[in-house]
Amino acid sequence: KYVGSYAKLEGGFTLWGWHAITGNNVFQMSRNDDGTWFREDMVAIDDKKDKRACGFRGTKEKFTEENVWTLLKKYDKQKALMSASIGKMDHRRTDGPSGEQMLEEDGLVAGHAYSVLQAREVRYGNDKFRLLNIRNPWGTYEWKGDW
């Protein structure tokens, strides 16, 4: 009822949905080209025609890959709501109706949210692997790589 109908819930930002359901502040972390990460807080935009209107306000927080992994493990332990996505490339003729881009070789979809179910470190011999268990809410279009 909040946005007018179930039909208006299709697509959009996962973070907006989490904010609407929980009332908690939500944020996203994005990766720079140099491998560092930055945080942006989601902010609601007062738009009478679009109750889901939102934007992101940058913070001065910067993170290394190690910092991000530590946060993922911490939030996993706390059972926090988390998702992951792959940034989209420039618009292509083959983009889906909501702008998603199928990455055929990997079996992933850019611009699509995946549920993060768990973050784990696994040792195999002398090697240590960092694994994210993610789920595609669509239930189709599966990962084609190792692990």
Side-chain angles (χ1 to χ4, degrees), residues 117-129:
L117 303 178
Q118 57 184 332
R120 295 288 185 262
E121 288 183 1
V122 177
R123 290 194 183 278
Y124 182 76
N126 293 329
D127 297 321
K128 180 170 74 171
F129 299 93

Side-chain angles (χ1 to χ4, degrees), residues 68-127:
V68 171
W69 181 249
T70 299
L71 283 173
L72 283 169
K73 290 190 312 181
K74 174 184 173 181
Y75 291 142
D76 177 39
K77 189 174 184 177
Q78 294 175 347
K79 304 292 184 204
L81 292 172
M82 295 188 289
S83 68
S85 66
I86 302 166
K88 295 193 294 185
M89 298 167 255
D90 291 333
H91 179 74
R92 305 177 308 179
R93 288 183 303 111
T94 57
D95 288 358
S98 297
E100 63 276 357
Q101 297 176 336
M102 309 303 192
L103 305 177
E104 299 289 341
E105 188 174 305
D106 299 320
L108 296 172
V109 182
H112 174 59
Y114 291 86
S115 304
V116 175
L117 303 178
Q118 57 184 332
R120 295 288 185 262
E121 288 183 1
V122 177
R123 290 194 183 278
Y124 182 76
N126 293 329
D127 297 321

